[in-house]
Amino acid sequence: MNTVRLEDTIIAIATPPGIGAISVIRLSGSDAFEAIDRIFLGKSKIKNSKSHTIHYGKISDASEIIDDVLVSVFKEPNSYTGEDSVEINLHGNPLIANKIISLILNKSKVRLAEPGEFTQRAFLNGRIDLAQAEAVADLINSRTSVSLRGARNQLDGLLSSKIVDLRKKLVDLSSFTELELDFAEEDIQLIDRVDLIAKINDISDEIGRLIESYTFGKVIKEGFNVVLAGEPNVGKSSILNYLVRESRAIVSHIPGTTRDTIREEISIDGFLFRFYDTAGIRNTDEEIEKEGVERSRQAIKNADLIMFLGDVNVGFSKDLEIQLLELNPSVRLVKVLNKIDLGIKRDFNEDFKISALSGMGMMEFVDGLKTMAFSESTYTEKDAIVTNIRHMNCLVKAKEALLNSIKSVENDLSGEFMASDLRIAEMSLAEIIGEVTPEEILNNIFSKFCIGK
Ligand SMILES: Nc1nc2c(ncn2[C@@H]2O[C@H](COP(=O)(O)OP(=O)(O)OP(=O)(O)O)[C@@H](O)[C@H]2O)c(=O)[nH]1
Ligand SMILES: [Mg+2]
């Protein structure tokens, strides 16, 4: 989507490809009503209908009836896109949908919509801001109840209103500092410097709290990556199988069984956990196993948590522990002793004791996992939580600018510096909600949507 062409009327199928009870075609733009009226046989013309009404009728080509349909009418500005729009409910066969779309394309000045173009119009026409538009995509792509709730909150404007509020505080401050610049010659201070710094600090702290929420927000949206790591034969694959309740990975008494990294997702209390079973790490000359170990290392680098496994009779290799932490220095590592059904002979300073064979200790481990993923977060559903890396980057930029502005006040630099930093901070916040967002970024955001959304 290079240049925005709001004047075009666009069409797309809004339901997934394939067969279903019904499909929905969306049509939006100034010619939407005329376009549908050219092929729709109903009691009255759609053009003359009231907004938010539904009309039964038939779609017909000159020679044949294509389908009987329901047409919903939305008049601007009270539609999803803010434009005149219709939604056609038809029988859920892609052949019918394609016929209707071709018919409209042939008979009217309508073009196929690009991915996300309906939502982009909703944004450009001021129906929703950019963070809300992004939440639409998140809502559709959510795979757990928790991430769904996060997206819902963002779509409802929880984050946006927080950003708007912070931005307003900044604009209020800037109005003083900009005014001071106007009277620079007279050297007037309209706002006391101690007071000014305190106010900037308050805003910066609030932004800081949003930045911190991203650790939690990322887990909400993307899930939590747990890598099962350890020496060969400690029972990594057995644990994966236990967690997913199926024989997903091959288990054998022969060390070096797992080669490929195996990924499985499970939802625990509505949170998405992604488990990676990896090849046991050891020095080997066997070519395939070597590659397996390399893949283990890659998985470990991307882990949020390493589940470091030890055998009840052997414990944990200090050497391997060091290697794991070298690969991912910021990761949380928990020591889990497996095979306790064989009897515990000594203490290895482990965090958890389990048996993949009998299930002993597994409940406690899974409970522990939830705590480890979320304990540090003191965020509740009602808090604005940042789940999007783009927002996160804008917030970091804003905070940096605020810290710079404080520095220039403390160093008694010319007011220009502080005013300019406050402006940068304000612009960075505005970028989150799409008020000063470069077109390239906008295109990038909407191109990731599905067609018809
Ligand atoms: N007694 C007992 N045996 C277990 C337990 N977990 C795994 N085993 C056995 O230990 C052996 C190795 O199990 P795997 O799950 O294949 O071990 P792994 O860590 O995936 O091994 P590699 O893929 O070779 O690195 C198998 O014979 C399992 O049946 C357990 O909790 N108790
Ligand atoms: Mg294995």
Side-chain angles (χ1 to χ4, degrees):
M1 214 179 318
N2 290 322
T3 42
V4 179
R5 289 161 294 160
L6 274 177
E7 66 279 8
D8 295 357
T9 298
I10 53 173
I11 190 167
I13 182 156
T15 38
I19 289 170
I22 54 167
S23 287
V24 176
I25 292 172
R26 251 184 177 167
L27 189 57
S28 179
S30 50
D31 289 332
F33 298 153
E34 274 168 30
I36 184 77
D37 276 333
R38 265 185 211 124
I39 58 164
F40 177 72
L41 303 172
K43 271 196 181 147
S44 55
K45 288 275 176 204
I46 294 297
K47 196 176 167 58
N48 303 327
S49 308
K50 280 198 185 131
S51 186
H52 294 73
T53 53
I54 300 178
H55 305 266
Y56 171 78
K58 293 186 191 311
I59 300 272
S60 87
D61 195 349
S63 55
E64 59 168 346
I65 301 287
I66 296 174
D67 198 7
D68 36 11
V69 299
L70 290 174
V71 176
S72 316
V73 182
F74 306 95
K75 295 202 162 171
E76 60 99 17
N78 298 315
S79 68
Y80 180 68
T81 55
E83 307 167 332
D84 284 344
S85 310
V86 296
E87 283 180 12
I88 312 166
N89 287 20
L90 49 129
H91 288 104
N93 180 333
L95 291 174
I96 304 175
N98 288 341
K99 261 195 175 172
I100 296 178
I101 290 177
S102 316
L103 198 60
I104 293 179
L105 290 175
N106 284 336
K107 294 211 166 191
S108 300
K109 240 186 97 244
V110 172
R111 70 167 165 83
L112 285 173
E114 310 261 0
E117 200 170 4
F118 293 92
T119 308
Q120 186 186 34
R121 287 184 173 200
F123 162 65
L124 292 172
N125 291 323
R127 301 285 294 167
I128 49 177
D129 68 35
L130 191 57
Q132 288 174 309
E134 288 168 301
V136 171
D138 292 348
L139 192 76
I140 292 173
N141 293 321
S142 288
R143 303 221 313 282
T144 63
S145 54
V146 176
S147 64
L148 198 59
R149 215 176 300 134
R152 188 65 250 170
N153 282 343
Q154 192 175 317
L155 183 54
D156 287 342
L158 202 62
L159 178 68
S160 303
S161 57
K162 183 81 202 163
I163 299 296
V164 168
D165 174 52
L166 286 169
R167 190 173 169 215
K168 184 173 176 308
K169 286 184 184 165
L170 271 178
V171 171
D172 288 349
L173 273 189
S174 293
S175 63
F176 287 111
T177 56
E178 302 275 346
L179 205 61
E180 282 180 11
L181 287 183
D182 290 345
F183 294 100
E185 314 236 306
E186 281 123 83
D187 206 15
I188 293 177
Q189 277 197 356
L190 293 169
I191 179 165
D192 171 67
R193 285 324 184 228
V194 175
D195 203 27
L196 179 65
I197 290 181
K199 286 204 162 97
I200 298 177
N201 263 327
D202 281 349
I203 299 172
S204 166
D205 286 349
E206 283 190 65
I207 292 178
R209 183 149 170 85
L210 283 176
I211 291 173
E212 279 164 27
S213 78
Y214 182 64
T215 327
F216 182 55
K218 184 168 174 274
V219 175
I220 289 185
K221 188 158 130 190
E222 291 167 23
F224 193 70
N225 294 328
V226 181
V227 172
L228 304 162
E231 289 173 299
N233 239 8
V234 290
K236 299 178 292 298
S237 301
S238 305
I239 292 165
L240 181 84
N241 290 347
Y242 183 92
L243 289 166
V244 301
R245 299 195 175 86
E246 63 169 302
S247 175
R248 175 70 181 84
I250 299 173
V251 164
S252 89
H253 65 280
I254 303 163
T257 304
T258 305
R259 307 296 177 84
D260 285 319
T261 301
I262 299 174
R263 187 180 92 170
E264 280 294 320
E265 294 181 345
I266 54 174
S267 158
I268 303 175
D269 289 354
F271 288 98
L272 182 71
F273 285 84
R274 215 172 282 113
F275 289 92
Y276 294 82
D277 176 25
T278 60
I281 296 180
R282 63 171 170 184
N283 288 325
T284 171
D285 289 328
E286 209 271 313
E287 215 173 302
I288 300 174
E289 190 179 359
K290 230 181 176 153
E291 173 60 26
V293 171
E294 187 43 43
R295 289 178 185 211
S296 300
R297 292 187 205 279
Q298 281 309 323
I300 287 158
K301 283 184 188 163
N302 296 324
D304 295 312
L305 182 117
I306 295 175
M307 186 173 173
F308 181 30
L309 287 150
D311 182 295
V312 73
N313 287 316
V314 190
F316 307 90
S317 146
K318 190 71 208 162
D319 223 34
L320 184 50
E321 184 180 346
I322 292 167
Q323 274 189 54
L324 295 174
L325 290 172
E326 265 172 12
L327 286 166
N328 190 339
S330 63
V331 81
R332 179 142 186 188
L333 181 144
V334 284
K335 289 184 185 168
V336 182
L337 200 63
N338 186 33
K339 309 192 186 181
I340 58 168
D341 55 290
L342 299 175
I344 303 169
K345 285 152 208 106
R346 50 168 290 210
D347 182 7
F348 289 102
N349 215 357
E350 68 279 347
D351 301 297
F352 294 93
K353 295 190 261 287
I354 61 167
S355 164
L357 201 66
S358 73
M360 250 189 280
M362 276 300 207
M363 283 240 291
E364 291 81 350
F365 173 71
V366 169
D367 273 346
L369 206 57
K370 284 186 285 187
T371 320
M372 286 181 278
F374 304 110
S375 65
E376 281 103 86
S377 61
T378 52
Y379 296 91
T380 71
E381 278 170 33
K382 291 188 190 73
D383 292 317
I385 292 166
V386 178
T387 63
N388 184 314
I389 184 81
R390 188 184 74 81
H391 303 169
M392 169 70 176
N393 291 337
C394 291
L395 289 166
V396 169
K397 211 160 53 170
K399 193 170 159 71
E400 272 172 14
L402 290 183
L403 295 182
N404 283 338
S405 74
I406 292 177
K407 263 190 225 143
S408 46
V409 176
E410 283 171 348
N411 294 333
D412 215 13
L413 297 181
S414 143
E416 300 265 2
F417 292 100
M418 173 191 48
S420 136
D421 281 324
L422 289 182
R423 241 176 277 135
I424 293 174
E426 193 215 319
M427 288 300 159
S428 304
L429 294 184
E431 209 175 297
I432 296 175
I433 47 180
E435 287 185 18
V436 289
T437 312
E439 184 158 326
E440 202 182 305
I441 293 179
L442 290 180
N443 288 341
N444 184 28
I445 290 171
F446 289 105
S447 65
K448 292 197 185 107
F449 275 67
C450 24
I451 297 259
K453 190 66 231 177

